[in-house]
Amino acid sequence: MEALKRKIVEEGVVLGNQVLKVDSFLNHRIDPVLMDGIGDVFARLFAEDGVTVVLTIESSGIAPAVMTALKLNVPLVFARKRKSLTLRDDLYTEKAYSFTKQEENEITVSKSYIGPGDRVLVVDDFLANGQASLALARIVEQAGARVAGIGIVIEKSFQSGRQALIEAGYRVESLARIASLEDGSIRFAE
Ligand code: G4P
Ligand code: NA
Ligand code: NA
């Protein structure tokens, strides 16, 4: 997606060799016109897949996911993150370990909002090691629903996430794929 890549080049800030800061349009301030375009592209990519619900995780996945849900004319559900949780039987619960943040989150979704028969499009802002997307996919499986695919705004292709999701059998569509952030410069993958 050219508009997204342009935005990354113009406004992205590389931290170390691994992290791309995009607070100016995705993670703190949000560019609604760009989100609108992102929603269009995901909706087009998954137009034939019978998506009944879009699923993301709070907080930064919500903006691209809600625009995608709008264009597909389906609801958006966002998983909630909790540090610790007393188990409740009205919630699907999965653990997601973040290598980036070195912490484990418990993520939850109400059983009221995803069920058997749903075809779920998982959307997230970043793909690093894939742990968040895999946890969301496990929640979909718990619900007896199907994963229609996984839509990622920015994939860090030098980390293991894409491979993990492909090996798990999921279709992955990333709108910008970053091959390297070495020496402070952003190189895109083809
Ligand atoms: P993974 O799901 O692919 O395994 O990713 P990981 O746990 O390592 O990522 C943890 C958090 O850090 C996620 O945000 C993720 O979006 C974010 N993240 C990972 N790499 C980058 C990066 O290079 N740049 C930016 N800007 N974010 C990155 P989160 O903790 O869920 O926070 P929130 O932003 O959704 O509130
Ligand atoms: Na994030
Ligand atoms: Na996210």
Side-chain angles (χ1 to χ4, degrees):
M1 186 181 174
E2 285 312 316
L4 172 62
K5 285 188 180 175
R6 207 160 45 238
K7 199 78 169 170
I8 290 170
V9 169
E10 284 168 2
E11 300 186 11
V13 177
V14 180
L15 300 180
N17 291 325
Q18 301 256 320
V19 171
L20 177 68
K21 208 165 143 84
V22 288
D23 277 5
S24 71
F25 64 89
L26 185 56
N27 288 144
H28 188 16
R29 184 169 66 175
I30 290 172
D31 181 337
V33 174
L34 184 64
M35 295 306 128
D36 183 74
I38 286 168
D40 280 332
V41 176
F42 281 140
R44 182 158 43 74
L45 287 167
F46 293 98
E48 309 302 320
D49 296 281
V51 175
T52 61
V53 58
V54 175
L55 176 65
T56 190
I57 182 166
E58 64 178 354
S59 56
S60 297
I62 294 174
V66 76
M67 295 312 297
T68 305
L70 175 67
K71 311 285 173 160
L72 288 169
N73 195 27
V74 299
L76 164 69
V77 175
F78 64 91
R80 289 174 166 164
K81 283 183 230 168
R82 305 274 169 79
K83 274 280 167 298
S84 71
L85 189 82
T86 37
L87 279 179
R88 285 175 41 189
D89 61 11
D90 57 342
L91 298 175
Y92 303 116
T93 300
E94 285 287 342
K95 288 187 188 342
Y97 181 75
S98 168
F99 294 98
T100 305
K101 298 199 168 171
Q102 304 267 308
E103 66 183 20
E104 184 167 78
N105 280 302
E106 212 137 38
I107 72 170
T108 66
V109 171
S110 167
K111 291 182 179 173
S112 302
Y113 301 138
I114 300 182
D118 274 319
R119 292 182 66 88
V120 182
L121 173 59
V122 172
V123 169
D124 208 356
D125 57 334
F126 265 89
L127 177 59
N129 294 294
Q131 295 307 305
S133 293
L134 284 170
L136 292 173
R138 287 196 301 271
I139 281 180
V140 175
E141 317 274 355
Q142 270 195 51
R146 289 190 54 188
V147 177
I150 299 177
I152 298 293
V153 179
I154 302 176
E155 171 188 312
K156 293 193 290 183
S157 307
F158 56 89
Q159 293 184 278
S160 61
R162 164 177 284 265
Q163 195 187 334
L165 298 180
I166 298 288
E167 277 171 10
Y170 301 118
R171 171 182 167 202
V172 180
E173 297 285 356
S174 303
L175 303 188
R177 300 185 63 198
I178 293 175
S180 162
L181 294 171
E182 297 284 320
D183 305 319
S185 72
I186 301 163
R187 271 204 310 115
F188 291 101
E190 269 339 291

